[in-house]
Amino acid sequence: MTETIRISDMMVESGVAFGTSGARGLADHMTDRVCYAYTAAFIQYLEGQAELDGRGLIAVGGDLRASTGRIMKSAARAVADRGYAPWSCGRLPAPALANYGLVKQVPTVMVTGSHIPEDRNGIKYTRRKGEILKPDEAGIRQQEIALPPGLFDNRGMFITKQADMVSDPEAIRLYVDRYLRFFPHDALMGKRIGVYQHSAVGRGVMVDILAGLGADVTTLGLSEIFVPVDTEAIRPEDVAAARQWSEAYGFDAIVSTDGDSDRPLISDENGKWLRGDVAGILCSAYFKVDAVATPVSCNSAVEKCGRFRRVYRTRIGSPYVIEGMEQALREGFQRVVGYEANGGFLLASDMESAGRILTALPTRDAVILHIAILLLSIQKQKTISQLVFELPQRFTYSNRLKDFPTEKSRARLSELYTGNEVRDRATLETVFGGHFGSVASIDTTDGLRITFENHEVVHLRPSGNAPEFRCYTEADTETRATNMNQICMEIMAGWR
């Protein structure tokens, strides 16, 4: 008998949340039934929006996690059962798949858990025009899906084996050509670049693009075991490795990405990783943009540097950054970009140079940031560390408590902030005042952002896509920002 289920109910039943740009949860909880239903709901929602008319393609791709292949098959089966053609783009960077969707004007399904550990996974969805936004998420959660009878066993897995998918490499070619056709073929000639590959799905693509632009590329740290590289909380071993590689090879920079290659890492010539929100400023400066959209958690040097006509502060998450970029375009700005604290760079406007056009890609991308900062270094005839030093000296640091349920994080924040200004200031100064002084202002745009009288900042926020409690700190020196974060993490650890 056909089973009908509402996606909002399945979220509770399965423990697989449906939030920013798609679904995410433990890989074991992302059964074939759950992944099939979420993808069917996505398609049904697009049909209701008149975005899918008749038969057509829906592109499917994924990262290098062990569970990704199975989930790709589940999504592809849902596409086929809804009457559309699942088109496998194979294992490729998330921005490469999104770019393919924009070029071909087709929706996409990207199976990835991004930076989180391998025991988890996720599915990102994009419409023909780009990422699904918050109204789309709400619409998908309300879909009621009819599940075919006899398709799944009592564990939620397919009863019959699903056929392997034959991958088309066109999406990767389009992504590589996007950069090789825009930038001069010798743009990076003379630059020595290390590519930290680990288990990033774009590890080969990075090499192809950078070498294609003339750089002398050395590959580093290839891993067949998944490595959960989080560009907002860089592992100590990756900090140490970058410095060792830089000393050994004399690189101008080392570049890398997270698992699905939409969040970048780039180091200076000393092997010191740049913070994503600092790298975003430099990338924006290279493109000489008018307006920047960036989350409230990002470094305030973006305003203090005076290089942009307008900075739009948003909530944390790419859908909010995209909304900020769209607002900038509506308000008449011509060259508009966005970036996040994780370094992901979003291009809202077409960029022109020497008669060539780099088309808009309003989703997180990593490679564009790598190239732009390296080219800015060449233009200014300065090292990357010198480019960073020229910015207003505001430093950010972030870390997170893992395995901290979102509900518990929110409950802790509600104890600190009730909306009563006098009471909340007193509470916060009781918790943090001995370390940071008097509270100057409180911002609840996303989580709880506290600015103290000495201009230091503490920002606490539950992660939007993992059971993590994040802490961002900002100060006038790197040492102080790091020390502040350590103090906050010790305080937060007592909240478990």
Side-chain angles (χ1 to χ4, degrees):
M1 184 174 67
T2 300
E3 177 189 13
T4 300
I5 189 165
R6 183 183 289 267
I7 296 303
S8 57
D9 294 335
M10 177 170 272
M11 289 173 56
V12 176
E13 167 201 305
S14 66
V16 178
F18 191 96
T20 302
S21 302
R24 188 169 289 182
L26 287 167
D28 289 345
H29 293 173
M30 296 185 69
T31 62
D32 296 339
R33 176 175 174 269
V34 168
C35 298
Y36 179 101
Y38 282 8
T39 303
F42 166 63
I43 296 169
Q44 185 169 289
Y45 172 74
L46 295 186
E47 290 171 338
Q49 299 292 305
E51 189 163 324
L52 291 174
D53 48 357
R55 296 182 63 83
L57 297 180
I58 296 179
V60 180
D63 66 14
L64 296 178
R65 295 164 190 269
S67 59
T68 289
R70 173 184 63 80
I71 296 174
M72 287 175 65
K73 292 179 183 180
S74 301
R77 176 64 185 269
V79 171
D81 286 356
R82 295 292 302 192
Y84 301 93
W87 196 255
S88 175
C89 294
R91 309 299 179 100
L92 78 171
L97 184 65
N99 179 66
Y100 182 81
L102 289 170
V103 171
K104 300 294 186 180
Q105 284 293 283
V106 298
T108 72
V109 180
M110 176 72 185
V111 179
T112 178
S114 186
H115 63 284
I116 59 179
E118 189 176 19
D119 65 342
R120 298 175 179 274
N121 213 327
I123 310 177
K124 294 180 180 179
Y125 299 103
T126 72
R127 302 175 65 162
R128 290 184 301 185
K129 63 181 181 181
E131 286 190 27
I132 61 172
L133 302 181
K134 289 300 175 180
D136 301 317
E137 292 174 15
I140 294 170
R141 283 196 295 268
Q142 294 308 307
Q143 296 298 308
E144 291 188 353
I145 295 299
L147 298 178
L151 197 57
F152 308 104
D153 61 24
N154 57 10
R155 299 176 298 116
M157 308 305 284
F158 284 121
I159 291 175
T160 58
K161 183 179 179 181
Q162 302 302 296
D164 291 333
M165 303 172 68
V166 178
S167 299
D168 183 349
E170 183 183 12
I172 293 177
R173 287 200 301 267
L174 285 172
Y175 184 66
V176 172
D177 288 349
R178 167 182 173 80
Y179 295 110
L180 297 188
R181 290 179 177 175
F182 178 72
F183 296 104
H185 73 278
D186 58 352
L188 297 178
M189 189 70 68
K191 286 293 183 181
R192 291 178 53 80
I193 310 299
V195 175
Y196 174 30
Q197 295 187 297
H198 61 91
S199 55
V201 72
R203 57 195 184 186
V205 168
M206 285 188 286
V207 173
D208 291 343
I209 293 174
L210 294 172
L213 295 176
D216 179 2
V217 176
T218 300
T219 57
L220 307 162
L222 179 71
S223 174
E224 296 306 327
I225 299 172
F226 188 82
V227 180
V229 170
D230 183 345
T231 60
E232 287 188 80
I234 303 172
R235 303 180 312 154
E237 54 264 51
D238 292 333
V239 172
R243 292 190 183 278
Q244 292 167 1
W245 287 328
S246 181
E247 291 176 3
Y249 294 97
F251 293 128
D252 294 292
I254 301 170
V255 302
S256 191
T257 71
D258 66 337
D260 65 330
S261 296
D262 66 347
R263 308 179 186 208
L265 274 177
I266 183 168
S267 83
D268 65 14
E269 69 282 3
N270 302 308
K272 180 179 180 181
W273 298 115
L274 274 62
R275 295 285 307 168
D277 51 4
V278 170
I281 298 172
L282 295 178
C283 186
S284 301
Y286 170 78
F287 283 108
K288 296 181 172 64
V289 304
D290 303 315
V292 175
T294 192
V296 67
S297 60
C298 286
N299 194 306
S300 61
V302 65
E303 287 97 356
K304 297 179 185 298
C305 72
R307 300 187 185 187
F308 314 111
R309 291 172 57 194
R310 176 75 183 274
V311 176
Y312 292 79
R313 288 290 186 164
T314 74
R315 293 182 64 185
I316 297 171
S318 57
Y320 297 114
V321 174
I322 292 169
E323 290 174 359
M325 295 193 303
E326 291 177 345
Q327 180 182 348
L329 293 171
R330 289 194 302 270
E331 294 179 358
F333 291 102
Q334 298 299 309
R335 296 171 70 86
V336 179
V337 300
Y339 65 83
E340 298 182 87
N342 57 45
F345 199 84
L346 302 89
L347 200 61
S349 309
D350 291 350
M351 296 294 167
E352 187 273 338
S353 176
R356 297 183 295 271
I357 301 294
L358 183 66
T359 56
L361 183 58
T363 193
R364 279 192 301 263
D365 192 13
V367 169
I368 188 173
L369 183 139
H370 296 155
I371 298 171
I373 293 178
L374 290 166
L375 290 179
L376 187 64
S377 172
I378 293 171
Q379 284 182 358
K380 301 290 187 181
Q381 296 185 350
K382 296 180 184 294
T383 63
I384 291 177
S385 67
Q386 290 171 334
L387 294 176
V388 173
F389 186 75
E390 288 180 342
L391 295 174
Q393 294 301 287
R394 291 293 287 176
F395 295 85
T396 52
Y397 192 85
S398 64
N399 208 337
R400 80 283 198 211
L401 291 178
K402 298 180 180 180
D403 300 318
F404 204 112
T406 300
E407 298 77 11
K408 190 171 183 179
S409 301
R410 290 174 177 160
R412 286 298 183 183
L413 291 184
S414 68
E415 295 173 5
L416 299 176
Y417 178 79
T418 64
N420 183 313
E421 183 175 354
V422 174
R423 182 185 307 161
D424 291 337
R425 284 174 184 260
T427 299
L428 293 171
E429 287 176 4
T430 298
V431 176
F432 298 105
H435 302 285
F436 312 127
S438 300
V439 173
S441 64
I442 301 169
D443 185 336
T444 57
T445 300
D446 197 339
L448 180 61
R449 186 175 179 85
I450 312 155
T451 301
F452 297 90
E453 293 286 357
N454 60 4
H455 304 295
E456 294 178 342
V457 176
V458 170
H459 187 168
L460 308 176
R461 174 183 176 268
S463 173
N465 50 31
E468 299 173 346
F469 200 177
R470 290 190 175 268
C471 175
Y472 309 82
T473 48
E474 181 176 325
D476 287 335
T477 69
E478 184 175 18
T479 299
R480 178 58 175 166
T482 303
N483 179 252
M484 288 174 62
N485 202 277
Q486 292 170 344
I487 292 170
C488 291
M489 294 299 290
E490 290 174 4
I491 294 171
M492 293 162 63
W495 297 346
R496 288 189 180 274

